[in-house]
């Protein structure tokens, strides 16, 4: 599964890297609402939340579905290069028409995919889309239902309320955060842009994340983002500036956010490297292989032995009372999952469990499902 961004025929200069204060505020708000996703930022989240005034805390809880389970497109840039200040980005959001804004604000993330309230139809003018929006909001609690009802009834007032909420967050904590992280984000974006200019798009994408790759075949040219969801968009769409924007985030890990809704500029918000937090991320397919490799009682027993010492196939067969071909089949599954190391000593081949890979399995799994 993956999200594909079709860039066939797109000039390279249309792929840009730049920090976005609005996207970073959205990422920071997600950390505050889901600190369990971000163990390395737990201290920041606890301290920041404790310092918020009760009124601001209450208003944030009313609107948290805009950034908690999914990131609303109104919190990501929709222009080629994000402006330097939050106020300028909020001005750009204000330029969206009500139908576009409302449909994006009422996104719901469920069953691994982002569901827009009307499937492309505005709930402001389409009764079926309106009913769908209210039903999904109701399933997520009275606060979201109340918000959806007010947004559908009076978009202008609610839009102003959301802008004021984000401005109050800027005053309360984000201005200091942005001043601190912006140089780092700008430096990272510059490095990726230089990789793109001096080397290749494939190298720049690899630097963004090993899970972001370039695919080229008879169907065209695509940026592929490995995620446990499917999606597709195009870098060239009617009515939008053609291109793709990559936005670094100091609050992003383990998430890799991809804006791929029709009619919106494709945006990839990627986390800065944090070796103390991040394992080497693998593909979803590799994660599935590892979990399937461990979903067999004999392979669990083999892992028990191989974690303690290296063994040959014949030693394992004798020790566990099974045939050598059967051991070989189980070892093949573990090896293809990248969980074994193999060394030859003369005519003997010894296998051993790669305990560093197994030790990372929990964090790798968490990163895969949160990516």
């Amino acid at each position: 599964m993956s999200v594909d961004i079709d860039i066939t025929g797109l000039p390279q200069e249309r792929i840009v890297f730049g920090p976005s204060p609005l996207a970073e505020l959205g990422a920071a708000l997600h950390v505050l609402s889901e600190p369990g996703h971000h163990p390395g930022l737990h201290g920041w989240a606890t301290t920041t939340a404790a310092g918020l005034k009760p009124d601001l805390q209450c208003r944030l809880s009313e609107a948290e579905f805009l950034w908690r389970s999914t990131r609303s497109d109104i919190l990501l840039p929709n222009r080629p290069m994000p402006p330097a200040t939050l106020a300028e980005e909020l001005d750009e959001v204000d330029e969206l028409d009500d139908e576009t804004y409302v449909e994006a604000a009422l996104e719901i993330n469920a069953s691994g995919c982002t569901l827009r309230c009307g499937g492309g139809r505005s709930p402001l003018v389409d009764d079926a889309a309106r009913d769908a929006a209210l039903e999904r909001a109701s399933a997520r609690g009275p606060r979201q239902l109340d918000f959806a009802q007010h947004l559908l009834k009076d978009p202008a007032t609610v839009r102003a309320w959301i802008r004021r909420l984000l401005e109050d967050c800027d005053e309360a904590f984000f201005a200091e955060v942005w001043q601190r992280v912006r140089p780092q984000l700008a430096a990272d974006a510059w490095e990726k842009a230089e990789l793109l200019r001096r080397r290749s798009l494939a190298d720049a994408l690899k630097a963004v994340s090993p899970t972001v790759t370039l695919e080229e075949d008879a169907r065209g040219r695509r940026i592929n983002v490995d995620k446990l969801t499917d999606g597709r968009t195009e870098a060239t769409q009617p009515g939008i500036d053609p291109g793709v924007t990559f936005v670094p985030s100091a609050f992003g890990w383990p998430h890799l956010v991809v804006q791929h809704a029709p009619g919106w500029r494709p945006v990839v918000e990627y986390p800065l490297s944090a070796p103390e937090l991040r394992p080497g991320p693998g593909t979803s397919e590799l994660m599935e292989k590892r979990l399937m490799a461990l979903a067999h009682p004999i392979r669990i027993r083999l892992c028990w032995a191989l974690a303690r010492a290296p063994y040959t196939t014949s030693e394992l067969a004798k020790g566990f009372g099974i045939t050598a071909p059967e051991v070989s089949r189980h070892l093949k599954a573990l090896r293809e999952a990248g969980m074994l190391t193999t060394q030859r000593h003369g005519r003997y081949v010894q296998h051993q469990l790669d305990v560093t890979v197994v030790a990372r399995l929990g964090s790798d799994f968490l990163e895969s499902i949160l990516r």
Side-chain angles (χ1 to χ4, degrees):
M1 292 184 285
S2 64
V3 176
D4 288 333
I5 304 172
D6 191 333
I7 58 170
T8 303
L10 184 74
Q12 182 167 291
E13 60 269 19
R14 292 288 185 172
I15 298 174
V16 299
F17 295 82
S20 161
L22 180 58
E24 194 69 348
L25 174 55
L29 289 172
H30 171 76
V31 172
L32 289 176
S33 63
E34 287 285 8
H37 291 187
H38 308 268
L41 294 170
H42 188 267
W44 176 86
T46 301
T47 302
T48 301
L52 297 179
K53 295 179 179 179
D55 173 68
L56 182 55
Q57 289 179 333
C58 182
R59 286 186 289 147
L60 285 174
S61 68
E62 292 180 40
E64 68 177 3
F65 52 84
L66 292 173
W67 52 75
R68 184 165 189 168
S69 63
T70 188
R71 191 79 58 79
S72 173
D73 291 335
I74 64 175
L75 297 176
L76 292 167
N78 199 34
R79 299 286 176 86
M81 184 62 75
T85 68
L86 179 63
E88 290 175 294
E89 276 206 278
L90 292 176
D91 288 343
E92 292 182 354
V93 173
D94 287 344
E95 295 176 10
L96 297 173
D97 61 76
D98 282 346
E99 292 183 11
T100 300
Y101 185 101
V102 168
E103 187 180 1
L106 294 180
E107 281 182 3
I108 297 296
N109 187 280
S111 303
C113 60
T114 298
L115 305 174
R116 284 184 176 258
C117 52
R121 305 184 308 276
S122 170
L124 291 178
V125 297
D126 186 279
D127 290 340
R130 180 186 182 88
D131 291 342
L134 293 176
E135 181 180 356
R136 288 172 181 158
S138 178
R140 278 149 186 84
R143 282 184 171 174
Q144 180 149 350
L145 176 60
D146 184 64
F147 178 91
Q149 290 172 332
H150 279 86
L151 182 60
L152 291 170
K153 182 179 180 181
D154 189 358
T157 298
V158 177
R159 291 180 64 164
W161 182 88
I162 292 174
R163 173 163 184 154
R164 180 55 188 270
L165 172 64
L166 298 177
E167 290 172 337
D168 287 348
C169 288
D170 187 46
E171 181 179 347
F173 66 89
F174 183 69
E176 181 275 328
V177 168
W178 183 243
Q179 184 178 10
R180 173 169 52 85
V181 304
R182 183 186 176 191
Q184 184 183 12
L185 300 180
D188 184 89
W190 182 86
E191 290 174 2
K192 303 294 190 296
E194 284 295 288
L195 273 175
L196 175 62
R197 186 174 68 87
R198 295 178 178 274
R199 298 178 64 176
S200 69
L201 176 58
D203 288 325
L205 296 179
K206 184 178 180 181
V208 166
S209 169
T211 63
V212 182
T213 56
L214 178 65
E215 294 186 352
E216 298 181 87
D217 53 32
R219 294 180 297 161
R221 205 162 183 244
R222 298 174 304 283
I223 296 173
N224 178 275
V225 184
D226 182 78
K227 291 174 71 71
L228 286 173
T229 184
D230 287 315
R232 186 183 181 280
T233 189
E234 297 178 359
T236 303
Q237 302 179 51
I240 66 171
D241 290 317
V244 183
T245 299
F246 286 85
V247 178
S249 172
F251 288 83
W253 186 89
H255 306 301
L256 190 63
V257 178
V258 185
Q259 178 173 266
H260 60 278
W264 292 76
R265 180 182 177 87
V267 174
V268 178
E269 184 185 44
Y270 63 93
L272 295 182
S273 298
E276 72 279 8
L277 296 177
R278 297 183 64 192
T283 64
S284 300
E285 182 181 1
L286 179 58
M287 176 56 58
E288 184 177 350
K289 279 186 177 181
R290 288 177 177 170
L291 294 177
M292 291 181 67
L294 295 175
H296 194 290
I298 292 180
R299 288 197 283 270
I300 291 290
R301 293 172 63 200
L302 289 173
C303 287
W304 175 86
L306 293 168
R308 287 161 172 76
Y311 289 98
T312 65
T313 300
S314 59
E315 286 177 317
L316 292 169
K318 291 177 182 178
F320 288 94
I322 56 180
T323 67
E326 188 175 359
V327 170
S328 294
R329 287 195 296 272
H330 289 304
L331 292 179
K332 181 182 179 181
L334 293 169
R335 186 168 55 252
E336 289 181 345
M339 301 171 68
L340 286 187
T341 60
T342 301
Q343 287 188 326
R344 178 177 290 277
H345 298 281
R347 63 189 183 92
Y348 296 102
V349 177
Q350 293 182 322
H351 311 281
Q352 190 164 19
L353 191 70
D354 190 336
V355 294
T356 59
V357 170
V358 178
R360 287 203 312 259
L361 193 56
S363 57
D364 281 352
F365 175 69
L366 183 64
E367 181 171 358
S368 294
I369 62 175
L370 292 179
R371 185 188 302 146

